[in-house]
Structures are given as C-alpha cells and as structure tokens.
Amino acid sequence: MDFGAVLQTNPPSARTVQLAKLAEAHGFSHVWTFDSHLLWQEPYVIYSRILAETDKVIVGPMVTNPATRDWTVTASTYATLNEMYGNRTICGIGRGDSAVRVTNGAPTTLKTLRESIHVIRELANSRPVEYNGATLQFPWSKGSKLDVWVAAYGPLALKLTGEVGDGFILQMADLDVAEWMIKTVRDAAANAGRDPMSIKFCVAAPMYITDDADAARAHMRDQCRWFGGMVGNHVADIVAKYGEGSAVPKALTDYIKGREGYDYNEHGRAGNTHADFVPDEIVDRFCVLGTASDHIEKLKALAELGVDQFAGYLQHDNKEETLRVYGETVIPALSEHIVAKA
C-alpha cells in the first residue's frame, strides 16, 4: 500500500513545502493538496517548489475540476512539471465542489468530466488529441507521463471512473462504502472491456494519531468532524438525484438529514461550525483515528478490499506527530502485512 499526505495550501507556502518534505522523509509516496484557487493559495506553483526540494514524492490535486481551469492549460502545467522534475505528477479530478460553489457555480456534468479527462491525459502524456475541432499536441513535450484518478461518489460517476479512470479516489474510509464503491468501479471497468484490476484505488480520509484513544476521542472527533461536512456536500447531491432509496449505502446517506447549510469559507477546517450535524459515529467510520494499532487495523481491512493507497488529510492540530508515527510504525506494519499476504 502506498501512502499520501493531503495538505491545504494555506499561507505561508513554506509551511506546505515543509510538510511535504516531512511526509517524504517519513515514507509517504504522494503529496496531494486541495485545489480551490479562492480559498487557498495556488497549488501548482507550490508543487514546483515541493518537487524541487524533494527526491521521489509524487504531487497532485485532490482534486481539480474541469470548470475553473482550461483543460489545455492544466495539461501543459503537468507536462512542464514532468519535464522539469521527471514524471512525478498525478491528476486527481472530479466534477467540482468548493472551487466552483464558492463562486455560485455548480459541478460540471459527467459528460464534461469525461471529455476533460481525455484531453488532459492525452496532452500530458505527450500525445495528440482532438479538441474543439482541432488536433492539438505539445510540440515541446516528450515522454511526459500522467495518470488521471477520478474522485466519485454517485453510481453514474463510479461507472465513468471504471470506464476511463486510471485510478479511483474515494474520499472516506468507511469499510462498507469502500467495498461497494470498489466493486461498482470494477464492474464498470469489466463491462467496458477493461481489466478491472488495472485501476488503482485510493481511500482519502483524515488521519489522527494519539497514544491514548479513549482520553483523546472527543478531541480527535472535533478536529476531524469537518470531513463529514465536506463529504455531505457530495452526498446531498446524490440524494437529490437518486433519492434515499437508491443503491447508495444508507451509511452514506442517512446522516445528512440534519444538514441545514454549508459555509465554504470554513471548508476543510477543523472546528467548522457547519459540520455540527455530523454524528460521532460518522466521524469514526469516515476517518482513521486512534492509536497506531487502531490505524494499522483499519488500513489492513482497507488493503484487503483492494485499496492501493491511503491518503491522509492533515487538517488538524497534530500534523507532525501523525506523520512521525506513520513513518515509524504504521507504514512499516502495512508493508510487512502486504508482503506476508503475498
């Protein structure tokens, strides 16, 4: 299993770079960031600094979208970073959430998402592509490589992921939901004539380490409750489209009944007052909290479901300690577990 650290590009940017370097030092293979150009600093500029000051770590957004960035510019950015630093980028993409909603926009259609994935991937892999009636290719790009991983929740978005994604990003660590979504993506891939095992699966969720889970339980939950609010934005869209009686697991839909609104100015922040509707049970299910042993147990269960990467959000007050314990204890334990299973 690979491990990623998910950061917000809050100023100062040097802090983001510092955490990325620390993540690499502790054995993380990926550094992801939020991509909302109004709420936080521009991630692609910071990626260049991270890549310059690290050796192996792969960087990318969790997640970008087709609405706020021109697809050809996005592809050019990846191809340029790859030329500068080697092929050390990855593209996480979805229909759009905070980046579009904060401007009173709306997520794109799945048709637009599908088309953008094709254009970005072809151009960023130094290949020609048809776009707006023209054949485009970067004449300066040679040997660039980029995988595009799709973030999805609803049935049709999961189907699209199985049909076109190099990877699938599930932003929650609920075991029941992960099992359903991984199967749904794999079935869609098989139905499209693809090898379902060729798609990489990433579970992304807050990770919070403590020595005394019982004493710190309430604090950990309060630090990570924002995540249930963020996920609730996507779930609300799914319920509005499919209804409560859809194939979407009830564990994913029931908790949003108390949701009354959401302030994107508090998006992804510990102490988010618009996440008060999220019950403790959902925080525990969606996140990875507790002692190192608690983390190892849950991550082993996710690995058994076919998860290839766990990307831990660090939007809380225990960033360095969580990275340290992962590097010293959690990551080695998961590596040993996977080797033993093989």
Short mmCIF file of all heavy atoms in Angstrom, two decimals, residues 224-291:
data_model
loop_
_atom_site.label_atom_id
_atom_site.label_comp_id
_atom_site.label_asym_id
_atom_site.label_seq_id
_atom_site.Cartn_x
_atom_site.Cartn_y
_atom_site.Cartn_z
N CYS A 224 -11.74 16.47 13.36
CA CYS A 224 -11.96 15.85 12.04
C CYS A 224 -13.41 15.86 11.59
O CYS A 224 -13.73 15.35 10.51
CB CYS A 224 -11.44 14.40 12.06
SG CYS A 224 -9.67 14.27 12.37
N ARG A 225 -14.31 16.45 12.39
CA ARG A 225 -15.73 16.45 12.04
C ARG A 225 -15.99 17.20 10.73
O ARG A 225 -16.95 16.92 10.02
CB ARG A 225 -16.55 17.06 13.18
CG ARG A 225 -18.04 16.72 13.13
CD ARG A 225 -18.77 17.28 14.35
NE ARG A 225 -18.16 16.84 15.59
CZ ARG A 225 -18.44 15.68 16.18
NH1 ARG A 225 -19.31 14.85 15.64
NH2 ARG A 225 -17.84 15.36 17.32
N TRP A 226 -15.13 18.16 10.41
CA TRP A 226 -15.28 18.91 9.16
C TRP A 226 -15.38 17.99 7.95
O TRP A 226 -16.03 18.34 6.96
CB TRP A 226 -14.08 19.86 8.97
CG TRP A 226 -12.76 19.15 8.81
CD1 TRP A 226 -11.86 18.83 9.79
CD2 TRP A 226 -12.21 18.64 7.59
NE1 TRP A 226 -10.79 18.16 9.26
CE2 TRP A 226 -10.97 18.04 7.91
CE3 TRP A 226 -12.64 18.64 6.27
CZ2 TRP A 226 -10.16 17.43 6.96
CZ3 TRP A 226 -11.84 18.04 5.29
CH2 TRP A 226 -10.61 17.44 5.66
N PHE A 227 -14.72 16.83 8.03
CA PHE A 227 -14.67 15.94 6.89
C PHE A 227 -16.05 15.40 6.56
O PHE A 227 -16.42 15.28 5.38
CB PHE A 227 -13.70 14.80 7.17
CG PHE A 227 -13.48 13.87 6.01
CD1 PHE A 227 -12.80 14.30 4.88
CD2 PHE A 227 -13.94 12.56 6.05
CE1 PHE A 227 -12.59 13.43 3.81
CE2 PHE A 227 -13.73 11.70 5.00
CZ PHE A 227 -13.06 12.14 3.87
N GLY A 228 -16.83 15.06 7.58
CA GLY A 228 -18.19 14.61 7.35
C GLY A 228 -19.04 15.68 6.70
O GLY A 228 -19.91 15.40 5.88
N GLY A 229 -18.77 16.95 7.06
CA GLY A 229 -19.47 18.05 6.41
C GLY A 229 -19.09 18.18 4.95
O GLY A 229 -19.94 18.42 4.09
N MET A 230 -17.81 18.02 4.64
CA MET A 230 -17.35 18.10 3.25
C MET A 230 -17.95 16.99 2.42
O MET A 230 -18.46 17.22 1.31
CB MET A 230 -15.82 18.03 3.21
CG MET A 230 -15.23 18.21 1.82
SD MET A 230 -13.42 18.01 1.78
CE MET A 230 -13.31 16.21 1.71
N VAL A 231 -17.90 15.77 2.93
CA VAL A 231 -18.49 14.64 2.21
C VAL A 231 -19.99 14.84 2.05
O VAL A 231 -20.58 14.48 1.03
CB VAL A 231 -18.19 13.32 2.96
CG1 VAL A 231 -18.95 12.15 2.34
CG2 VAL A 231 -16.69 13.03 2.95
N GLY A 232 -20.62 15.45 3.06
CA GLY A 232 -22.06 15.68 3.00
C GLY A 232 -22.48 16.52 1.82
O GLY A 232 -23.61 16.37 1.31
N ASN A 233 -21.61 17.41 1.34
CA ASN A 233 -21.95 18.21 0.16
C ASN A 233 -22.18 17.32 -1.05
O ASN A 233 -23.11 17.52 -1.83
CB ASN A 233 -20.82 19.20 -0.15
CG ASN A 233 -20.59 20.18 0.98
OD1 ASN A 233 -21.53 20.58 1.65
ND2 ASN A 233 -19.35 20.54 1.19
N HIS A 234 -21.33 16.32 -1.22
CA HIS A 234 -21.47 15.39 -2.35
C HIS A 234 -22.67 14.47 -2.14
O HIS A 234 -23.42 14.18 -3.08
CB HIS A 234 -20.19 14.57 -2.50
CG HIS A 234 -18.97 15.40 -2.72
ND1 HIS A 234 -18.69 16.02 -3.92
CD2 HIS A 234 -17.95 15.73 -1.88
CE1 HIS A 234 -17.55 16.67 -3.82
NE2 HIS A 234 -17.09 16.51 -2.60
N VAL A 235 -22.83 14.01 -0.90
CA VAL A 235 -23.94 13.10 -0.62
C VAL A 235 -25.27 13.78 -0.84
O VAL A 235 -26.23 13.17 -1.35
CB VAL A 235 -23.83 12.56 0.82
CG1 VAL A 235 -25.05 11.70 1.17
CG2 VAL A 235 -22.55 11.74 0.99
N ALA A 236 -25.37 15.06 -0.48
CA ALA A 236 -26.61 15.79 -0.69
C ALA A 236 -26.98 15.83 -2.17
O ALA A 236 -28.16 15.70 -2.54
CB ALA A 236 -26.48 17.21 -0.14
N ASP A 237 -25.98 15.98 -3.03
CA ASP A 237 -26.23 15.96 -4.47
C ASP A 237 -26.75 14.59 -4.92
O ASP A 237 -27.65 14.48 -5.76
CB ASP A 237 -24.95 16.29 -5.25
CG ASP A 237 -24.57 17.76 -5.15
OD1 ASP A 237 -25.44 18.56 -4.76
OD2 ASP A 237 -23.42 18.09 -5.47
N ILE A 238 -26.16 13.52 -4.35
CA ILE A 238 -26.55 12.16 -4.72
C ILE A 238 -27.99 11.89 -4.29
O ILE A 238 -28.79 11.35 -5.06
CB ILE A 238 -25.59 11.14 -4.08
CG1 ILE A 238 -24.19 11.28 -4.68
CG2 ILE A 238 -26.10 9.72 -4.27
CD1 ILE A 238 -23.13 10.50 -3.93
N VAL A 239 -28.32 12.28 -3.05
CA VAL A 239 -29.68 12.04 -2.56
C VAL A 239 -30.68 12.83 -3.39
O VAL A 239 -31.77 12.34 -3.72
CB VAL A 239 -29.77 12.41 -1.07
CG1 VAL A 239 -31.23 12.37 -0.60
CG2 VAL A 239 -28.93 11.46 -0.24
N ALA A 240 -30.32 14.07 -3.76
CA ALA A 240 -31.23 14.87 -4.58
C ALA A 240 -31.47 14.24 -5.94
O ALA A 240 -32.56 14.33 -6.49
CB ALA A 240 -30.64 16.28 -4.75
N LYS A 241 -30.46 13.57 -6.46
CA LYS A 241 -30.57 12.97 -7.79
C LYS A 241 -31.24 11.60 -7.77
O LYS A 241 -32.09 11.28 -8.60
CB LYS A 241 -29.18 12.85 -8.43
CG LYS A 241 -29.19 12.28 -9.85
CD LYS A 241 -27.80 12.27 -10.45
CE LYS A 241 -27.79 11.69 -11.86
NZ LYS A 241 -28.57 12.50 -12.82
N TYR A 242 -30.84 10.76 -6.79
CA TYR A 242 -31.28 9.37 -6.81
C TYR A 242 -32.34 9.05 -5.76
O TYR A 242 -32.99 8.01 -5.84
CB TYR A 242 -30.08 8.44 -6.59
CG TYR A 242 -29.02 8.54 -7.67
CD1 TYR A 242 -27.87 9.29 -7.46
CD2 TYR A 242 -29.18 7.90 -8.89
CE1 TYR A 242 -26.90 9.40 -8.45
CE2 TYR A 242 -28.22 8.01 -9.87
CZ TYR A 242 -27.08 8.75 -9.65
OH TYR A 242 -26.12 8.85 -10.63
N GLY A 243 -32.48 9.91 -4.74
CA GLY A 243 -33.42 9.62 -3.68
C GLY A 243 -32.79 8.75 -2.60
O GLY A 243 -31.74 8.13 -2.80
N GLU A 244 -33.44 8.68 -1.47
CA GLU A 244 -32.90 7.93 -0.34
C GLU A 244 -32.99 6.43 -0.55
O GLU A 244 -32.28 5.67 0.09
CB GLU A 244 -33.65 8.32 0.94
CG GLU A 244 -33.41 9.76 1.37
CD GLU A 244 -34.07 10.09 2.69
OE1 GLU A 244 -34.55 9.14 3.35
OE2 GLU A 244 -34.11 11.27 3.06
N GLY A 245 -33.82 5.97 -1.43
CA GLY A 245 -33.98 4.53 -1.64
C GLY A 245 -33.12 3.98 -2.75
O GLY A 245 -33.39 2.91 -3.28
N SER A 246 -32.06 4.69 -3.12
CA SER A 246 -31.20 4.27 -4.22
C SER A 246 -30.24 3.18 -3.76
O SER A 246 -30.25 2.74 -2.61
CB SER A 246 -30.42 5.45 -4.76
OG SER A 246 -29.48 5.88 -3.80
N ALA A 247 -29.38 2.77 -4.68
CA ALA A 247 -28.38 1.75 -4.37
C ALA A 247 -27.26 2.28 -3.49
O ALA A 247 -26.43 1.52 -3.00
CB ALA A 247 -27.80 1.18 -5.66
N VAL A 248 -27.20 3.57 -3.30
CA VAL A 248 -26.16 4.17 -2.46
C VAL A 248 -26.35 3.68 -1.02
O VAL A 248 -27.46 3.71 -0.48
CB VAL A 248 -26.24 5.70 -2.51
CG1 VAL A 248 -25.16 6.32 -1.63
CG2 VAL A 248 -26.10 6.19 -3.94
N PRO A 249 -25.29 3.19 -0.36
CA PRO A 249 -25.43 2.66 1.00
C PRO A 249 -26.04 3.66 1.97
O PRO A 249 -25.73 4.85 1.94
CB PRO A 249 -23.98 2.33 1.39
CG PRO A 249 -23.28 2.12 0.09
CD PRO A 249 -23.92 3.07 -0.88
N LYS A 250 -26.90 3.15 2.86
CA LYS A 250 -27.57 4.02 3.83
C LYS A 250 -26.57 4.68 4.77
O LYS A 250 -26.82 5.79 5.25
CB LYS A 250 -28.59 3.21 4.63
CG LYS A 250 -29.82 2.80 3.82
CD LYS A 250 -30.79 2.00 4.67
CE LYS A 250 -31.43 2.83 5.77
NZ LYS A 250 -32.26 3.91 5.24
N ALA A 251 -25.43 4.02 5.01
CA ALA A 251 -24.40 4.62 5.86
C ALA A 251 -23.91 5.93 5.29
O ALA A 251 -23.44 6.81 6.01
CB ALA A 251 -23.22 3.66 6.01
N LEU A 252 -24.06 6.09 3.98
CA LEU A 252 -23.59 7.29 3.31
C LEU A 252 -24.66 8.38 3.25
O LEU A 252 -24.34 9.55 3.11
CB LEU A 252 -23.14 6.93 1.90
CG LEU A 252 -22.41 8.00 1.07
CD1 LEU A 252 -21.15 8.43 1.77
CD2 LEU A 252 -22.08 7.46 -0.32
N THR A 253 -25.91 7.99 3.34
CA THR A 253 -26.99 8.95 3.09
C THR A 253 -27.77 9.38 4.33
O THR A 253 -28.27 10.51 4.38
CB THR A 253 -27.99 8.37 2.07
OG1 THR A 253 -28.56 7.15 2.60
CG2 THR A 253 -27.30 8.06 0.75
N ASP A 254 -27.87 8.54 5.33
CA ASP A 254 -28.75 8.84 6.45
C ASP A 254 -28.31 10.07 7.25
O ASP A 254 -29.14 10.85 7.73
CB ASP A 254 -28.85 7.64 7.39
CG ASP A 254 -29.77 6.56 6.84
OD1 ASP A 254 -30.40 6.80 5.79
OD2 ASP A 254 -29.85 5.48 7.46
N TYR A 255 -27.00 10.26 7.41
CA TYR A 255 -26.54 11.28 8.34
C TYR A 255 -26.77 12.70 7.86
O TYR A 255 -26.73 13.64 8.66
CB TYR A 255 -25.06 11.07 8.67
CG TYR A 255 -24.07 11.63 7.67
CD1 TYR A 255 -23.46 12.87 7.87
CD2 TYR A 255 -23.74 10.92 6.52
CE1 TYR A 255 -22.54 13.38 6.97
CE2 TYR A 255 -22.82 11.41 5.62
CZ TYR A 255 -22.23 12.64 5.83
OH TYR A 255 -21.31 13.13 4.94
N ILE A 256 -27.03 12.91 6.58
CA ILE A 256 -27.16 14.29 6.09
C ILE A 256 -28.56 14.87 6.32
O ILE A 256 -28.82 16.01 5.97
CB ILE A 256 -26.83 14.40 4.58
CG1 ILE A 256 -27.85 13.65 3.73
CG2 ILE A 256 -25.42 13.91 4.30
CD1 ILE A 256 -27.82 14.07 2.28
N LYS A 257 -29.45 14.09 6.94
CA LYS A 257 -30.80 14.59 7.18
C LYS A 257 -30.79 15.83 8.08
O LYS A 257 -31.70 16.65 8.01
CB LYS A 257 -31.66 13.49 7.79
CG LYS A 257 -31.95 12.34 6.82
CD LYS A 257 -32.72 11.22 7.47
CE LYS A 257 -32.96 10.07 6.50
NZ LYS A 257 -33.66 8.93 7.13
N GLY A 258 -29.76 15.96 8.91
CA GLY A 258 -29.68 17.13 9.78
C GLY A 258 -28.90 18.28 9.19
O GLY A 258 -28.70 19.30 9.84
N ARG A 259 -28.48 18.14 7.94
CA ARG A 259 -27.68 19.17 7.28
C ARG A 259 -28.57 20.35 6.88
O ARG A 259 -29.56 20.18 6.18
CB ARG A 259 -27.02 18.56 6.04
CG ARG A 259 -26.11 19.49 5.25
CD ARG A 259 -25.53 18.69 4.08
NE ARG A 259 -24.59 19.46 3.28
CZ ARG A 259 -24.93 20.18 2.22
NH1 ARG A 259 -26.20 20.23 1.83
NH2 ARG A 259 -24.01 20.84 1.54
N GLU A 260 -28.20 21.56 7.31
CA GLU A 260 -29.03 22.73 7.04
C GLU A 260 -28.35 23.75 6.12
O GLU A 260 -29.00 24.63 5.59
CB GLU A 260 -29.40 23.42 8.37
CG GLU A 260 -30.28 22.54 9.26
CD GLU A 260 -30.64 23.23 10.55
OE1 GLU A 260 -30.06 24.32 10.81
OE2 GLU A 260 -31.47 22.71 11.30
N GLY A 261 -27.09 23.65 5.93
CA GLY A 261 -26.38 24.61 5.09
C GLY A 261 -24.89 24.40 5.22
O GLY A 261 -24.43 23.58 6.02
N TYR A 262 -24.13 25.14 4.44
CA TYR A 262 -22.68 24.94 4.46
C TYR A 262 -22.00 26.23 4.04
O TYR A 262 -22.38 26.85 3.05
CB TYR A 262 -22.30 23.80 3.51
CG TYR A 262 -20.88 23.31 3.69
CD1 TYR A 262 -20.57 22.40 4.70
CD2 TYR A 262 -19.85 23.77 2.88
CE1 TYR A 262 -19.27 21.95 4.88
CE2 TYR A 262 -18.55 23.33 3.05
CZ TYR A 262 -18.27 22.42 4.05
OH TYR A 262 -16.99 21.97 4.23
N ASP A 263 -20.99 26.62 4.80
CA ASP A 263 -20.23 27.83 4.51
C ASP A 263 -18.87 27.43 3.96
O ASP A 263 -18.02 26.89 4.70
CB ASP A 263 -20.07 28.66 5.79
CG ASP A 263 -19.34 29.97 5.53
OD1 ASP A 263 -18.88 30.20 4.39
OD2 ASP A 263 -19.22 30.77 6.49
N TYR A 264 -18.65 27.69 2.68
CA TYR A 264 -17.39 27.26 2.07
C TYR A 264 -16.19 28.06 2.57
O TYR A 264 -15.04 27.64 2.35
CB TYR A 264 -17.49 27.34 0.54
CG TYR A 264 -18.14 26.09 -0.01
CD1 TYR A 264 -19.52 26.01 -0.19
CD2 TYR A 264 -17.38 24.97 -0.30
CE1 TYR A 264 -20.11 24.85 -0.66
CE2 TYR A 264 -17.96 23.81 -0.77
CZ TYR A 264 -19.32 23.75 -0.95
OH TYR A 264 -19.90 22.60 -1.40
N ASN A 265 -16.41 29.15 3.27
CA ASN A 265 -15.29 29.86 3.87
C ASN A 265 -14.69 29.07 5.03
O ASN A 265 -13.57 29.37 5.47
CB ASN A 265 -15.73 31.24 4.35
CG ASN A 265 -16.05 32.17 3.20
OD1 ASN A 265 -15.26 32.30 2.28
ND2 ASN A 265 -17.21 32.81 3.25
N GLU A 266 -15.43 28.05 5.51
CA GLU A 266 -14.91 27.18 6.57
C GLU A 266 -14.61 25.79 6.02
O GLU A 266 -14.38 24.85 6.78
CB GLU A 266 -15.92 27.08 7.72
CG GLU A 266 -16.14 28.39 8.46
CD GLU A 266 -17.03 28.21 9.69
OE1 GLU A 266 -17.81 27.24 9.72
OE2 GLU A 266 -16.93 29.03 10.59
N HIS A 267 -14.58 25.65 4.72
CA HIS A 267 -14.40 24.35 4.06
C HIS A 267 -13.07 23.71 4.47
O HIS A 267 -12.01 24.33 4.40
CB HIS A 267 -14.42 24.56 2.55
CG HIS A 267 -14.44 23.30 1.75
ND1 HIS A 267 -15.47 22.39 1.82
CD2 HIS A 267 -13.55 22.79 0.85
CE1 HIS A 267 -15.23 21.40 0.99
NE2 HIS A 267 -14.07 21.60 0.40
N GLY A 268 -13.14 22.47 4.90
CA GLY A 268 -11.92 21.73 5.21
C GLY A 268 -11.18 22.22 6.44
O GLY A 268 -9.99 21.94 6.59
N ARG A 269 -11.87 22.88 7.36
CA ARG A 269 -11.19 23.43 8.53
C ARG A 269 -11.68 22.76 9.81
O ARG A 269 -12.89 22.57 10.00
CB ARG A 269 -11.44 24.94 8.62
CG ARG A 269 -10.91 25.73 7.43
CD ARG A 269 -11.06 27.23 7.66
NE ARG A 269 -10.74 27.97 6.46
CZ ARG A 269 -9.50 28.28 6.06
NH1 ARG A 269 -8.47 27.89 6.78
NH2 ARG A 269 -9.30 28.96 4.94
N ALA A 270 -10.75 22.43 10.68
CA ALA A 270 -11.11 21.92 12.00
C ALA A 270 -11.94 22.97 12.73
O ALA A 270 -11.65 24.16 12.66
CB ALA A 270 -9.85 21.59 12.79
N GLY A 271 -13.00 22.52 13.41
CA GLY A 271 -13.87 23.44 14.10
C GLY A 271 -14.93 24.07 13.23
O GLY A 271 -15.61 25.00 13.64
N ASN A 272 -15.11 23.55 12.02
CA ASN A 272 -16.12 24.04 11.09
C ASN A 272 -17.50 23.97 11.74
O ASN A 272 -18.00 22.90 12.06
CB ASN A 272 -16.08 23.18 9.83
CG ASN A 272 -17.06 23.63 8.75
OD1 ASN A 272 -18.03 24.33 9.03
ND2 ASN A 272 -16.79 23.23 7.53
N THR A 273 -18.13 25.12 11.95
CA THR A 273 -19.42 25.16 12.64
C THR A 273 -20.55 24.60 11.79
O THR A 273 -21.62 24.29 12.31
CB THR A 273 -19.76 26.60 13.05
OG1 THR A 273 -19.81 27.43 11.88
CG2 THR A 273 -18.72 27.14 14.01
N HIS A 274 -20.32 24.47 10.47
CA HIS A 274 -21.36 23.94 9.61
C HIS A 274 -21.28 22.43 9.48
O HIS A 274 -21.94 21.84 8.63
CB HIS A 274 -21.29 24.60 8.24
CG HIS A 274 -21.70 26.04 8.26
ND1 HIS A 274 -20.86 27.03 8.72
CD2 HIS A 274 -22.87 26.65 7.92
CE1 HIS A 274 -21.50 28.19 8.65
NE2 HIS A 274 -22.70 27.99 8.17
N ALA A 275 -20.47 21.79 10.33
CA ALA A 275 -20.39 20.33 10.35
C ALA A 275 -20.95 19.77 11.65
O ALA A 275 -20.78 18.59 11.95
CB ALA A 275 -18.94 19.88 10.18
N ASP A 276 -21.68 20.60 12.40
CA ASP A 276 -22.22 20.15 13.68
C ASP A 276 -23.22 19.01 13.51
O ASP A 276 -23.46 18.24 14.45
CB ASP A 276 -22.90 21.32 14.41
CG ASP A 276 -21.90 22.35 14.90
OD1 ASP A 276 -20.70 22.02 14.92
OD2 ASP A 276 -22.31 23.48 15.23
N PHE A 277 -23.82 18.89 12.32
CA PHE A 277 -24.82 17.84 12.10
C PHE A 277 -24.19 16.46 11.97
O PHE A 277 -24.90 15.45 12.01
CB PHE A 277 -25.63 18.15 10.83
CG PHE A 277 -24.84 17.98 9.55
CD1 PHE A 277 -24.87 16.79 8.85
CD2 PHE A 277 -24.07 19.03 9.06
CE1 PHE A 277 -24.14 16.63 7.68
CE2 PHE A 277 -23.34 18.89 7.89
CZ PHE A 277 -23.38 17.68 7.19
N VAL A 278 -22.87 16.39 11.84
CA VAL A 278 -22.20 15.11 11.61
C VAL A 278 -22.05 14.38 12.94
O VAL A 278 -21.36 14.85 13.85
CB VAL A 278 -20.82 15.33 10.98
CG1 VAL A 278 -20.14 13.98 10.72
CG2 VAL A 278 -20.94 16.12 9.68
N PRO A 279 -22.66 13.20 13.11
CA PRO A 279 -22.59 12.48 14.38
C PRO A 279 -21.23 11.82 14.58
O PRO A 279 -20.49 11.58 13.63
CB PRO A 279 -23.70 11.43 14.26
CG PRO A 279 -23.86 11.21 12.79
CD PRO A 279 -23.55 12.53 12.13
N ASP A 280 -20.94 11.51 15.84
CA ASP A 280 -19.67 10.87 16.18
C ASP A 280 -19.46 9.58 15.39
O ASP A 280 -18.34 9.28 14.98
CB ASP A 280 -19.61 10.57 17.68
CG ASP A 280 -19.48 11.83 18.53
OD1 ASP A 280 -19.16 12.90 17.97
OD2 ASP A 280 -19.69 11.75 19.75
N GLU A 281 -20.51 8.80 15.23
CA GLU A 281 -20.39 7.52 14.53
C GLU A 281 -19.85 7.71 13.11
O GLU A 281 -19.02 6.93 12.64
CB GLU A 281 -21.74 6.81 14.47
CG GLU A 281 -21.69 5.49 13.71
CD GLU A 281 -23.06 4.90 13.44
OE1 GLU A 281 -24.07 5.54 13.79
OE2 GLU A 281 -23.12 3.80 12.85
N ILE A 282 -20.32 8.76 12.44
CA ILE A 282 -19.86 9.02 11.07
C ILE A 282 -18.40 9.46 11.06
O ILE A 282 -17.62 9.06 10.19
CB ILE A 282 -20.76 10.08 10.40
CG1 ILE A 282 -22.14 9.47 10.09
CG2 ILE A 282 -20.13 10.61 9.12
CD1 ILE A 282 -22.12 8.32 9.09
N VAL A 283 -18.01 10.29 12.02
CA VAL A 283 -16.61 10.70 12.11
C VAL A 283 -15.72 9.47 12.26
O VAL A 283 -14.70 9.33 11.57
CB VAL A 283 -16.39 11.67 13.29
CG1 VAL A 283 -14.91 12.07 13.37
CG2 VAL A 283 -17.26 12.90 13.15
N ASP A 284 -16.11 8.55 13.14
CA ASP A 284 -15.32 7.35 13.36
C ASP A 284 -15.28 6.46 12.11
O ASP A 284 -14.24 5.87 11.79
CB ASP A 284 -15.91 6.54 14.52
CG ASP A 284 -15.77 7.26 15.86
OD1 ASP A 284 -14.98 8.22 15.95
OD2 ASP A 284 -16.47 6.88 16.82
N ARG A 285 -16.41 6.37 11.41
CA ARG A 285 -16.46 5.50 10.24
C ARG A 285 -15.70 6.09 9.06
O ARG A 285 -15.04 5.37 8.31
CB ARG A 285 -17.92 5.23 9.84
CG ARG A 285 -18.69 4.38 10.81
CD ARG A 285 -20.09 4.06 10.33
NE ARG A 285 -20.06 3.23 9.11
CZ ARG A 285 -21.06 2.44 8.73
NH1 ARG A 285 -22.16 2.38 9.47
NH2 ARG A 285 -20.97 1.73 7.64
N PHE A 286 -15.83 7.40 8.87
CA PHE A 286 -15.26 8.04 7.68
C PHE A 286 -13.76 8.33 7.83
O PHE A 286 -13.07 8.47 6.82
CB PHE A 286 -15.98 9.36 7.40
CG PHE A 286 -17.34 9.19 6.77
CD1 PHE A 286 -17.97 7.96 6.72
CD2 PHE A 286 -17.99 10.29 6.23
CE1 PHE A 286 -19.22 7.83 6.15
CE2 PHE A 286 -19.24 10.17 5.65
CZ PHE A 286 -19.86 8.93 5.60
N CYS A 287 -13.28 8.46 9.07
CA CYS A 287 -11.89 8.85 9.31
C CYS A 287 -11.08 7.67 9.84
O CYS A 287 -11.61 6.59 10.08
CB CYS A 287 -11.84 10.01 10.31
SG CYS A 287 -12.81 11.46 9.81
N VAL A 288 -9.78 7.91 10.03
CA VAL A 288 -8.90 6.91 10.64
C VAL A 288 -8.31 7.58 11.89
O VAL A 288 -7.41 8.42 11.78
CB VAL A 288 -7.80 6.44 9.67
CG1 VAL A 288 -6.98 5.33 10.32
CG2 VAL A 288 -8.41 5.95 8.37
N LEU A 289 -8.82 7.20 13.05
CA LEU A 289 -8.49 7.86 14.30
C LEU A 289 -8.01 6.86 15.33
O LEU A 289 -8.38 5.69 15.29
CB LEU A 289 -9.73 8.58 14.86
CG LEU A 289 -10.56 9.46 13.91
CD1 LEU A 289 -11.79 9.98 14.64
CD2 LEU A 289 -9.72 10.60 13.38
N GLY A 290 -7.19 7.33 16.27
CA GLY A 290 -6.81 6.48 17.40
C GLY A 290 -5.33 6.23 17.48
O GLY A 290 -4.50 7.00 16.99
N THR A 291 -4.99 5.13 18.13
CA THR A 291 -3.60 4.75 18.30
C THR A 291 -3.04 4.19 16.99
O THR A 291 -3.79 3.93 16.04
CB THR A 291 -3.47 3.68 19.39
OG1 THR A 291 -4.16 2.49 18.95
CG2 THR A 291 -4.08 4.15 20.70
#
